[in-house]
Amino acid sequence: SRIEYLQNTTKHETVAFLMHLEERLKHPISKNLLHKNLTSSDLLDSASTIQHKLSYNFLNKKLKILKDTIACKIVQNEQLACAGRTHSKHAEKINFTNRLKNLDIAIFEITNFLNFAIIKLPGKLSGPVGNAKNIPFSLRIKFSQEFNLPLSNSQMQIVPRYHYANIVFHLANLASAYEKFATDIRLLAFNEIDEVQEGFDSGQYGS
């Protein structure tokens, strides 16, 4: 394709995209203003921020389903007692739903941190060295409002990567909460403990 040819020639995927788009524009002013005074990271990092926000919206919908399911299981098992342990030894009787409630609390608290990180994740429209010297302030504000993105405060070519690292950290914490709960349930299913077991339908073979 034409864009692949341009990329092989320029050795730069963003420049190839812009050249291909410029070829398709008809108005001379549009051609002249396309990507004027910008750098690749203005396009790529801002697009990445938008993708992160859209992905989080999808994740949030799935988390809502999970939290509703946990809430339902808590109601169903509210009176179910089990052994509470410390250092793997019996300590006190506890409610089985404590495990579900702890998972629910972990999801709530971690997603609050994650939500804040997503809201603060900025876009960028500040040129190759980040000082926006040749980009009108009014244009930057319009860009921010149009895409609902806060603008990066850092004067550099890219959105600082600690913004993305912060999101990855909270996602890892979320995965860790799931792993802890799953391991707990699996241990309770050991024959030697046998406090929970997988439900099987009549005639079912295997998990």
Side-chain angles (χ1 to χ4, degrees):
S1 69
R2 176 61 176 166
I3 195 168
E4 289 175 337
Y5 169 80
L6 292 170
Q7 183 171 343
N8 290 332
T9 303
T10 62
K11 303 295 189 289
H12 197 298
E13 74 282 358
T14 307
V15 171
F17 165 76
L18 291 169
M19 290 177 67
H20 182 60
L21 181 58
E22 183 179 349
E23 289 175 350
R24 300 176 66 181
L25 293 174
K26 297 180 179 180
H27 201 289
I29 294 180
S30 298
K31 290 176 179 285
N32 184 49
L33 293 179
L34 177 64
H35 209 64
K36 183 178 180 180
N37 296 328
L38 302 184
T39 187
S40 299
S41 296
D42 290 321
L43 173 63
L44 298 177
D45 284 9
S46 295
S48 179
T49 290
I50 293 171
Q51 288 175 321
H52 275 76
K53 292 178 184 290
L54 292 174
S55 297
Y56 181 65
N57 290 341
F58 175 80
L59 175 62
N60 237 354
K61 293 176 183 178
K62 297 300 181 181
L63 287 171
K64 175 66 166 57
I65 295 172
L66 176 59
K67 288 177 65 66
D68 288 347
T69 302
I70 293 172
C72 182
K73 293 298 181 183
I74 289 173
V75 172
Q76 292 174 352
N77 298 280
E78 193 63 61
Q79 303 304 316
L80 183 62
C82 66
R85 296 177 175 83
T86 178
H87 301 283
S88 301
K89 302 298 182 181
H90 285 172
E92 301 176 19
K93 182 177 73 171
I94 63 171
N95 197 303
F96 181 79
T97 57
N98 283 11
R99 294 181 170 89
L100 294 166
K101 291 176 180 177
N102 286 337
L103 175 60
D104 188 55
I105 291 170
I107 293 171
F108 174 78
E109 293 185 343
I110 294 169
T111 51
N112 276 346
F113 292 131
L114 183 57
N115 184 60
F116 183 76
I118 290 290
I119 290 173
K120 298 295 287 184
L121 184 61
K124 179 184 177 295
L125 196 71
S126 53
V129 295
N131 60 4
K133 182 178 179 180
N134 297 307
I135 303 172
F137 181 72
S138 59
L139 180 60
R140 299 181 72 227
I141 294 299
K142 184 177 180 180
F143 165 81
S144 175
Q145 294 173 342
E146 183 74 23
F147 292 100
N148 193 28
L149 299 178
L151 291 173
S152 176
N153 293 319
S154 301
Q155 293 193 14
M156 55 181 7
Q157 189 180 50
I158 62 171
V159 169
R161 292 331 189 205
Y162 55 75
H163 286 289
Y164 302 116
N166 196 24
I167 292 170
V168 172
F169 172 75
H170 294 310
L171 288 173
N173 267 343
L174 192 59
S176 178
Y178 298 155
E179 187 270 342
K180 179 184 181 301
F181 178 78
T183 300
D184 192 16
I185 297 300
R186 176 56 70 188
L187 289 173
L188 292 177
F190 275 29
N191 284 338
E192 294 81 1
I193 300 176
D194 202 26
E195 289 187 12
V196 299
Q197 65 180 14
E198 183 180 352
F200 275 69
D201 294 330
S202 177
Q204 178 180 341
Y205 286 83
S207 299

